[in-house]
Amino acid sequence: MPTPVIGVGPASAYRRRMIRLDQLSKVYGTAPDAVTVLDRLDLAVDTGRVFAVVGPSGAGKSTLAQCVTLLEKPTSGRVVVNGDDLTALGAQDLRVARRRIGTIFQQDGLFSRRTAADNVALPLQYLGVTKAETRARVAELLDRVGLADKAKHYPHQLSGGQRQRVGIARALALRPSVLLSDEATSGLDPDSTASIVRLLRELRDDLGLSILFITHEMDTVLQVADSVARLDHGRIVEQGELTALLRDPDSALGAQLRPERLALPATAGDRVWSVAYAGDVPGDWVLRLATRLDAPVALLGASVEQIDGAAIGRATLGIPQTVDEAGVDAALRELGLAVRGAAIPASAAAASAAADDAAAAASDIRDSDDLPELIGARP
Amino acid sequence: MSLHSSNLVPLPDIPALVFPALGDTLIMVGVTMAIVVVVGIPLGAIVHNLGPDGLFPHRVGHQVLSWVISVGRSLPFLVLMASIIPFTRLLTGTNIGIPAAVVPMSIAGIAFFTRIVENSLRSVPRDYAKVAIASGASTFQAIVTAQLAEAVPSIIGGLTINTIAMIEYSAIAGTIGAGGIGYVAVTYGYQRFDHAVMIATIVILIATVAATQLLGDRVARALTPASRDRRRSARAARVPVAA
């Protein structure tokens, strides 16, 4: 039985949590030069879910990953995985507990002098599994990740995507219930990333794995995650279901996940409207809107994607200023579209294009550190 | 000149003088290197892992051990050899001959090799040890599989350098009557101006060192999968040209 945790709800809800981080802090150095990398962070990953953690570099993502397996010892707080409080375990018990967490590393972490098969065999070798059993399990794992024919290849003979597949096979060797992925797809080309993501989701479904997916790549999050949390300055600043965040026009994280594409400039006399929707919106809503308003509706920019089965769309529209603003607003809402921000008259829209560029740059959190320079460079 | 010529070794006798001496040198260096490897590898691994990037960092422990090794490294071999004569006699019961030479050579060699192993381990990506620990390895397993095993080619390279240094030390040890090629060079070539013997010893020393280096390079390359491949593909690429 897991030990009761203060502030946790009913036992059933507790058991569904595969990973729980309670008030986790990590401080490097000693006062007054101490650097707080993780600041009383709370996070929970439910069983069988892919939970992505995003954040700019320096937000504490790597430290978070290493604290989950206690490769880095947290300064305070608790790490509860599968009911075990890892922070309370001794060295021996910790080794046992770590075997239930498979870790996929950035740049695969394959040993260069071992073949793919020997790399996958590592955790089994550490555990002391017999040679025959090891061989059978390794063959099964390599087959699972689609690399049965590459068993005897050395890492340098494999592509980045293949190496990461070997890394995944190794992480699965001891049948863990939790996968921890620390920037596993960073540095891979889009095709390899997509195939790794597909594999992870298959594994999640087949093996009921809970996956903590740490990354700085927003595109990958859209492909892989059920839930997303944004880490900044060592704290979770926003989190939620991926679809809910994308649907929410006011969500900063949702906006970051879907970087705004530049829209066409509106014709003079038009007013620019930004709308977002998810799910129940008729496919021909632009036409319907024009009919309802009895006015031309110019589509200046739009994107529609399917995320986790739901259609998620965004659009920028140009509608003549002569049409009543409140009427447009009502018509849009009636169609199931959420209006983002205020409608901007075309002349002002052109003037604010520069500001929009800056905002678009800001919304891509990878570049957020460069933002002051970006603005400063503008004439 | 005639005074010296009477003492010169006749040319046909030179092989009989030089080759047994080479045998003595090889025994001296071989025994020393065996001791050096057995002691130096664990010691080097301990020093590395006591350091800031290690698996069990310990500032004081690291500094103390590091200081002891530096002392061993900083004494010129001749001084080290002379200063530990009481210790050598305690261990071997003698202060001349091969056994007496092996003791100071091992001490100097261990200090040298420990640094080489430490340096080799430092060049292994730190993440490998993390991978091992996260995969359920004990500290010992992590050191063996993630650090030493990955550093093997680099350690072999260091071992080659170390062996060559020991051949040089064996010549110095020769001056205290340890025998070996260095002893022949000093007593015949240097003290008796027997240029023929001197040249013979020089040739043999150069050949021995060159052979050691070649062997070391070959082994290191054979144990590095990436460079082994390059050779193979280079050879494969040559074949069609020849055909």
Side-chain angles (χ1 to χ4, degrees), chain B:
Chain B
M1 200 64 202
S2 62
L3 180 77
H4 295 305
S5 349
S6 62
N7 285 333
L8 293 183
V9 178
L11 281 183
D13 293 351
I14 288 180
L17 176 71
V18 167
F19 283 113
L22 176 63
D24 286 350
T25 295
L26 294 182
I27 290 171
M28 237 186 302
V29 173
V31 172
T32 301
M33 286 314 293
I35 296 170
V36 164
V37 168
V38 168
V39 179
I41 286 181
L43 205 54
I46 289 170
V47 175
H48 172 71
N49 284 295
L50 282 172
D53 284 348
L55 288 172
F56 35 81
H58 192 284
R59 239 169 68 96
V60 176
H62 183 249
Q63 277 170 354
V64 168
L65 205 51
S66 197
W67 185 79
V68 170
I69 293 159
S70 292
V71 167
R73 293 269 295 120
S74 52
L75 293 183
F77 183 64
L78 197 62
V79 177
L80 174 81
M81 195 168 61
S83 62
I84 63 158
I85 284 176
F87 176 69
T88 305
R89 192 176 301 165
L90 183 77
L91 235 57
T92 62
T94 175
N95 53 359
I96 54 161
I98 293 178
V102 165
V103 176
M105 280 172 69
S106 296
I107 289 174
I110 288 167
F112 192 0
F113 195 53
T114 301
R115 284 285 182 231
I116 282 177
V117 171
E118 186 194 7
N119 195 53
S120 294
L121 294 183
R122 200 179 294 144
S123 65
V124 174
R126 228 187 129 188
D127 285 351
Y128 285 178
K130 285 185 180 171
V131 168
I133 298 289
S135 302
S138 65
T139 306
F140 179 74
Q141 286 172 325
I143 291 173
V144 172
T145 59
Q147 296 183 344
L148 290 172
E150 285 298 311
V152 161
S154 162
I155 291 175
I156 297 285
L159 195 64
T160 310
I161 296 171
N162 205 340
T163 305
I164 290 168
M166 288 304 114
I167 293 172
E168 187 192 324
Y169 285 10
S170 79
I172 302 173
T175 60
I176 61 156
I181 201 84
Y183 172 76
V184 171
V186 169
T187 51
Y188 290 81
Y190 176 68
Q191 288 168 355
R192 298 190 197 172
F193 300 102
D194 191 332
H195 300 309
V197 175
M198 183 63 111
I199 288 166
T201 56
I202 289 171
V203 168
I204 285 191
L205 279 172
I206 290 174
T208 311
V209 168
T212 307
Q213 188 66 52
L214 188 72
L215 182 71
D217 289 349
R218 279 280 166 88
V219 172
R221 202 173 304 125
L223 292 172
T224 313
S227 69
R228 198 166 53 209
D229 253 36
R230 270 196 296 280
R231 280 179 73 80
R232 198 175 297 149
S233 57
R235 206 174 303 143
R238 264 200 308 272
V239 171
V241 179

Side-chain angles (χ1 to χ4, degrees), chain A residues 244-314:
Chain A
L245 287 172
L246 290 173
R247 217 170 291 191
D248 181 357
D250 300 325
S251 162
L253 181 52
Q256 282 172 353
L257 285 165
R258 301 288 314 284
E260 198 78 46
R261 293 193 174 83
L262 277 183
L264 297 172
T267 12
D270 272 8
R271 198 178 269 123
V272 178
W273 295 78
S274 289
V275 297
Y277 65 89
D280 300 331
V281 172
D284 57 348
W285 62 268
V286 181
L287 188 63
R288 288 189 193 212
L289 182 67
T291 313
R292 197 164 306 189
L293 296 174
D294 195 21
V297 173
L299 193 54
L300 304 172
S303 69
V304 187
E305 273 179 87
Q306 183 178 304
I307 306 288
D308 213 13
I312 305 282
R314 272 165 197 249

Side-chain angles (χ1 to χ4, degrees), chain A residues 336-357:
Chain A
L337 297 150
V339 180
R340 304 169 60 233
I344 308 164
S347 52
S352 72
D356 281 351
D357 283 356

